[in-house]
Amino acid sequence: MPTEILMPALSPTMEEGTLAKWLVKEGDTVSSGDLIAEIETDKATMEFEAVDEGVVGKILIAEGSEGVKVNTPIAILLEEGESADDITTAAAQPEAAAAADAGAAAASGGGSDAPAAPATPAPAAAAADGSRIFASPLARRIAADKGLDLSALSGSGPRGRIVKADVENASAAAPQAAAKPVAAAPAPAAAAPAGPSADMVAKMYETRSFEEVKLDGMRKTIAARLTEAKQTVPHFYLRRDIQLDALLKFRAQLNKQLETRGVKLSVNDFIIKAVALALQAVPDANAVWAGDRVLKMKASDVAVAVAIEGGLFTPVLQDSELKSLSALSAEMKDLAARARDRKLAPHEYQGGSFAISNLGMFGIDNFDAIVNPPHAGILAVGAGSKKPVVGADGELKVATVMSVTMSVDHRVIDGALGAQLLQAIVENLENPMVMLA
């Protein structure tokens, strides 16, 4: 029987996407693992692999189609021996069943009050609890040959569908899968007050000239996530000034020594390292909010905001506390370049416990950033500039000062703990050689 290829969920938050490009055409033969399409999510353009083998019988969604919901059929795959006629036959089966129901009711002589005779469905495998088991035709055939009980297998295909790889990797003695308890549905949250509708806003400016810009998937996601974050995360803010003269002098020395290797460290590289080490020094702050609990992380996985056209990414540098400044610099440059090309994989921009947003290169003195859940905090970094300061000896002097603001999720980090974390960051940046010890 023809198999539907469904729009995949390429990230945990994906609800819809754009079918950017088909890499196959009708009539092409594909195997499990072959690339068949490019899917554009709210964050990246990703390649989509086939999970079954067969012939592409019909493409249902044209390339370039936007807003395709997850699990929507996008193509039909035919098994060996099937033809395009089988697609028509399969599509006609529900209609034939409905016609059979109507005919049975008429034959019984019943009028509108007579109950319709139930249709006899095609036999399908069922689990112990009576629910239907979804499996590809090829997987069913292999399972029958190997004597496997499909109800004992977990499917890795779309919507838990059992595919060829699942049955090939299973043994005939596969244990009966335990039924999972059904979790109670959470109580619906109170609806947030809605702002003026699009039509109302447009009417306010109907006498003015404007250009309407359509929201793409990324901008819609940014709007939804940051609105939710600002409404649901109890933010508080901690501010400090950091003297950068020692760091700038040390950086110049390192860059001179690293010049032959083609390495040039930025101030941002030092900030990443300083945050990573501070999270290790204050481990209670290296945590994320998980709804009904807090997860204390072992490694310092630091996210860094990267501006791209139409939005931003926050790629994550994992195990940052263990990496040298030159390694962090190279990794950050690579992630930033691929972020701008929207070529990051989901695991490269998801996760992390703390984030950095640096607008200093744009001349911004200071700002307040929004915490990106489930992170516990984010450090907003301003520009370094010459300012008068009072030295330890009481004398007035000029120093390069950078202002930072740490936005904190109060559910995870309290005021005193946040102050300890920020103090550790300041000490690392004002004494940069310590970060190499």
Side-chain angles (χ1 to χ4, degrees):
M1 182 175 178
T3 302
E4 292 180 339
I5 299 176
L6 306 179
M7 183 69 165
L10 298 177
S11 72
T13 58
M14 179 178 169
E15 296 180 356
E16 62 180 34
T18 297
L19 208 162
K21 182 180 181 181
W22 278 109
L23 303 178
V24 295
K25 59 184 182 298
E26 292 180 2
D28 284 356
T29 300
V30 298
S31 299
S32 178
D34 287 352
L35 299 179
I36 60 174
E38 291 181 357
I39 307 294
E40 183 179 320
T41 70
D42 57 325
K43 290 288 189 181
T45 299
M46 303 178 65
E47 294 171 328
F48 175 39
E49 298 180 356
V51 295
D52 290 318
E53 61 183 28
V55 175
V56 180
K58 188 172 182 61
I59 289 177
L60 303 176
I61 302 293
E63 62 181 38
S65 299
E66 299 179 356
V68 182
K69 298 292 185 184
V70 168
N71 289 332
T72 299
I74 58 175
I76 300 293
L77 194 66
L78 301 175
E79 275 197 292
E80 183 180 350
E82 294 179 334
S83 67
D85 294 336
D86 294 305
I87 300 175
T88 307
T89 303
Q93 284 179 351
E95 297 177 8
D101 287 348
S108 68
S112 59
D113 294 333
T120 303
D129 60 1
S131 60
R132 182 183 173 189
I133 295 172
F134 291 92
S136 71
L138 181 59
R140 292 182 188 276
R141 189 165 67 237
I142 296 174
D145 292 341
K146 296 178 67 174
L148 293 174
D149 179 5
L150 288 175
S151 65
L153 302 181
S154 296
S156 60
R159 291 188 287 191
R161 189 162 173 265
I162 298 170
V163 297
K164 175 187 175 184
D166 300 323
V167 292
E168 285 185 335
N169 295 331
S171 63
Q176 184 74 16
K180 295 182 179 180
V182 179
S197 68
D199 290 340
M200 291 173 62
V201 174
K203 190 171 181 62
M204 290 169 59
Y205 296 95
E206 62 183 359
T207 61
R208 310 303 301 156
S209 176
F210 60 82
E211 176 188 359
E212 188 172 293
V213 179
K214 184 179 179 182
L215 298 182
D216 62 9
M218 174 175 286
R219 181 50 58 185
K220 289 178 182 177
T221 300
I222 290 173
R225 282 185 57 80
L226 294 186
T227 299
E228 179 186 4
K230 197 63 175 173
Q231 290 175 341
T232 61
V233 175
H235 288 64
F236 72 91
Y237 306 92
L238 300 171
R239 311 178 198 280
R240 289 289 298 266
D241 284 341
I242 301 174
Q243 295 188 32
L244 292 181
D245 296 279
L247 186 151
L248 295 175
K249 183 179 179 180
F250 184 51
R251 170 177 170 261
Q253 293 173 347
L254 285 179
N255 280 340
K256 187 173 182 180
Q257 295 171 355
L258 294 170
E259 191 173 0
T260 56
R261 291 166 47 187
V263 175
K264 186 173 183 179
L265 303 177
S266 68
V267 172
N268 208 51
D269 298 329
F270 284 87
I271 295 172
I272 296 169
K273 185 70 172 181
V275 168
L277 294 176
L279 290 170
Q280 294 296 306
V282 189
D284 287 344
N286 189 21
V288 297
W289 179 253
D292 62 350
R293 70 202 69 183
V294 170
L295 306 182
K296 288 181 63 175
M297 312 306 293
K298 300 297 184 184
S300 294
D301 296 342
V302 180
V304 181
V306 175
I308 68 169
E309 184 177 353
L312 77 160
F313 274 94
T314 50
V316 179
L317 294 95
Q318 296 184 342
D319 303 304
S320 296
E321 79 282 9
L322 303 177
K323 296 172 180 174
S324 66
L325 285 164
S326 58
L328 288 173
S329 178
E331 184 177 356
M332 190 66 239
K333 287 181 174 66
D334 171 63
L335 289 171
R338 289 191 291 115
R340 294 185 182 100
D341 292 335
R342 297 199 180 193
K343 293 298 184 182
L344 291 179
H347 72 271
E348 294 178 306
Y349 59 79
Q350 293 173 352
S353 62
F354 196 92
I356 297 169
S357 180
N358 190 343
L359 294 180
M361 66 284 292
F362 298 107
I364 301 300
D365 288 329
N366 53 68
F367 65 103
D368 298 342
I370 299 174
V371 173
N372 184 27
H375 295 170
I378 182 170
L379 188 71
V381 181
S385 57
K386 297 288 186 181
K387 293 182 180 180
V389 298
V390 178
D393 57 0
E395 294 293 323
L396 190 65
K397 64 177 183 177
V398 176
T400 304
V401 178
M402 178 178 73
S403 175
V404 299
T405 301
M406 191 167 76
S407 306
V408 184
D409 184 343
H410 214 324
R411 298 172 300 181
V412 184
I413 299 176
D414 293 326
L417 183 62
Q420 292 176 40
L421 178 63
L422 186 53
Q423 176 64 25
I425 295 172
V426 173
E427 289 177 353
N428 287 334
L429 291 172
E430 291 189 340
N431 302 281
M433 292 186 69
V434 174
M435 292 193 283
L436 302 184

